[in-house]
Amino acid sequence: MTDHVIGVDIGTTGTKTGIYDREGRLVGEAFEESILRYPRAGEVEQDPDEIFSSVVNTVREAMARSGLAPDRIAAIALDGQMAGIMAVDADWQPVTHYDSWLDTRCAPWLDELRPHEDDIIRTCGMALAFNHAPKILYWRDRPETWERIKSFIQPAGYVAGKLAGLKGEDAFMDRTYLVFSGFGSSEHAVWNEELLARFGLTTEKLPKIVEPWHVVGTVQPDWAEAMGLAAGTPIAAGCGDQSANVLGGGLVDPGVVFDTSGTASVFATVIDRFGTDTTYRCLMTCPHVVPGLYFPMAYVAGGGLNLRWFRDTLSPREKAEWEGLGVNPYDEARQGGRGDRTRLGKADLPAAPVRPQHAERSRHARRLSRPHLAAREAASRPGDHGKHRLRIRPLSAGSARDRAGLRSEIRRQHRRRRSVGCASPDQGRHARARIPLHGPRGVRHAGSGHRRRPCGGPVSRPSRDRPALCRQHPRRRRSPTGDHRGLRALRRQLYRRARDAVAAVQADEPQALG
């Protein structure tokens, strides 16, 4: 009795095979990691033969784990990466490597496509990207390889064709891939021959377009034995991996929204009519497996691929241990354990030590602990009358430019050992007279080395226990850098001038801004 089906996903991260019964229950599965090659910067390749071997290996392993007899399998279908391409010759032998959707070497050919981008979006469903169209033009301009190509296909199509013993003239592509083709119509599931002619191309080297459930052939005896299947098992065309995600998630109602965290991070929704994003050129409208439905989506290339980089770079020992135990490193990383190790909870982790002095310090005090503001923290401690003590009020809300100016002035005073704001009485008034005075900090009195406040009142000399005060306003302490109140006064003055200028313009009265 044939009551199970096999689904194979040829993803960027790895090949996954699952065996399901009539109720949709998983009875056997296997995973094999993909081998990505990076010949040069911006180039990402996969070997078609390695992709095929990963399918054979995972199907054989999943069958062994399920314990099913070969004649229990009703059919097999494959989905795979959508935006990359490869090519086969007349005998179904690979002519090129698999040109991954992560590969950017075709970037110069995007300029050739750019003038036709609006037409591509309206018919294909997405804006220009590193997908089939520029990759086909890349191989078009390599005559030696181009002459050997019988048809361009995707990895899932290549594996299905090899299992079925197809020839180059039998090449096929399921209609859900058309959104990434650049030269097809996603709405009508046909090739855009008028657009192809603009680039000197025809449909000669393009595969025929079929439905996802179309049976492309049957498993040949040699491969059936290698995978543990019965010879003659039907092979369905399958679909693109994102379309398989949508169908597998049960997203068949317009208006539902979904998020996929795979090698690419995808966000999409389902609609019941074909429409394209010609305004922002961000969403791509992909054909749903269910006829008449589409799902506009946006994705970030390499989203989940960062997890693989993290694992390989920072956890090589754990990866080797997991592989030695025959377990999936991603499953173990997600569960937080190795092999049969139990995941630690928060209660099992040692508490981080907390220093009492840190618990007592406020957010502002923690800011003062930075090295370049250590002088301000020292000045805030009572009874500390060091040689370079500075009486500075804490900064409140202010711009980064104000804060930078204050810090610069503090460093300048430390460097020149000036007496203003310093508790040391051994520095004389001549040093005090050399301070550069700007804006709200005060003005130099003509004919004198002493500093005067903006109000016009003279400034008293500082002593050991008391900073300088304004004689006309004795309650106002003077900051050596012209404190933040002076800056606020300047901002208020500028605001008033701007307000008066706006009022003058509105009243059509000319006024000099000064």
Side-chain angles (χ1 to χ4, degrees), residues 196-503:
L196 285 166
R198 300 180 193 178
F199 301 93
L201 301 175
T202 66
T203 59
E204 179 185 3
K205 297 183 182 298
L206 298 178
K208 62 182 178 181
I209 301 170
V210 301
E211 293 289 347
W213 48 84
H214 176 73
V215 176
V216 299
T218 58
V219 178
Q220 298 301 294
D222 292 345
W223 301 123
E225 181 180 359
M227 295 188 294
L229 301 178
T233 301
I235 304 173
C239 58
D241 54 3
Q242 289 302 327
S243 298
N245 286 337
V246 176
L247 182 65
L251 304 170
V252 294
D253 298 314
V256 296
V257 176
F258 66 94
D259 173 66
T260 304
S261 299
T263 304
S265 299
V266 175
F267 186 80
T269 186
V270 177
I271 59 177
D272 57 3
R273 62 184 180 86
F274 184 75
T276 58
D277 181 13
T278 56
T279 302
Y280 300 103
R281 304 184 178 186
C282 176
L283 298 175
M284 59 190 72
T285 305
C286 306
H288 200 290
V289 173
V290 177
L293 295 181
Y294 305 88
F295 57 98
M297 75 173 187
Y299 72 93
V300 178
L305 197 61
N306 295 331
L307 178 62
R308 175 171 175 172
W309 173 88
F310 181 89
R311 183 206 65 186
D312 293 345
T313 305
L314 302 181
S315 304
R317 293 184 179 179
E318 287 80 358
K319 176 188 175 184
E321 183 176 349
W322 290 329
E323 292 177 345
L325 295 172
V327 296
N328 186 346
Y330 293 100
D331 291 340
E332 292 301 308
R334 182 169 59 250
Q335 296 171 4
R338 292 191 305 223
D340 59 352
R341 188 182 71 180
T342 304
R343 181 169 63 176
L344 293 176
K346 288 185 178 180
D348 302 313
L349 300 176
V354 178
R355 290 182 288 183
Q357 63 270 29
H358 283 184
E360 297 173 0
R361 290 167 66 186
S362 65
R363 181 179 178 184
H364 177 70
R366 286 196 297 272
R367 256 197 335 263
L368 295 178
S369 64
R370 301 175 191 171
H372 62 279
L373 294 179
R376 289 174 61 186
E377 185 178 21
S380 66
R381 294 194 295 267
D384 183 3
H385 304 294
K387 189 172 185 180
H388 296 289
R389 179 185 176 203
L390 299 176
R391 289 279 190 172
I392 303 175
R393 295 183 180 88
L395 277 176
S396 61
S399 67
R401 184 175 180 181
D402 296 338
R403 293 193 295 270
L406 178 59
R407 294 167 187 167
S408 177
E409 186 71 18
I410 292 172
R411 289 192 293 269
R412 187 182 300 111
Q413 289 191 38
H414 275 293
R415 219 169 26 245
R416 298 186 181 181
R417 300 172 59 87
R418 290 173 176 163
S419 62
V420 173
C422 179
S424 299
D426 57 343
Q427 299 183 21
R429 58 188 294 272
H430 298 289
R432 184 171 66 251
R434 291 196 299 270
I435 295 180
L437 306 172
H438 305 284
R441 302 176 191 168
V443 295
R444 189 182 299 278
H445 180 62
S448 170
H450 294 279
R451 182 177 182 178
R452 288 184 176 272
R453 301 293 292 171
C455 61
V459 177
S460 64
R461 293 191 60 177
S463 65
R464 175 179 292 274
D465 300 321
R466 175 174 58 84
L469 300 175
C470 175
R471 292 178 182 173
Q472 187 168 337
H473 301 91
R475 290 182 178 272
R476 298 183 183 175
R477 291 183 180 273
R478 180 171 63 84
S479 164
T481 57
D483 59 38
H484 61 281
R485 289 187 297 184
L487 295 174
R488 286 204 299 266
L490 177 62
R491 285 195 290 267
R492 285 196 297 269
Q493 180 183 5
L494 294 175
Y495 171 76
R496 286 194 296 267
R497 294 177 62 188
R499 181 191 60 192
D500 295 343
V502 171

Side-chain angles (χ1 to χ4, degrees), residues 44-46 83-86 96-106 130 135-136 138-139:
V44 186
E45 303 175 356
Q46 284 185 256
I85 61 168
M86 56 171 291
T96 69
H97 55 264
Y98 170 60
D99 193 349
S100 172
W101 57 282
L102 298 170
D103 190 291
T104 61
R105 76 184 75 183
C106 63
F130 301 111
K135 294 179 184 295
I136 290 175
Y138 171 86
W139 292 112

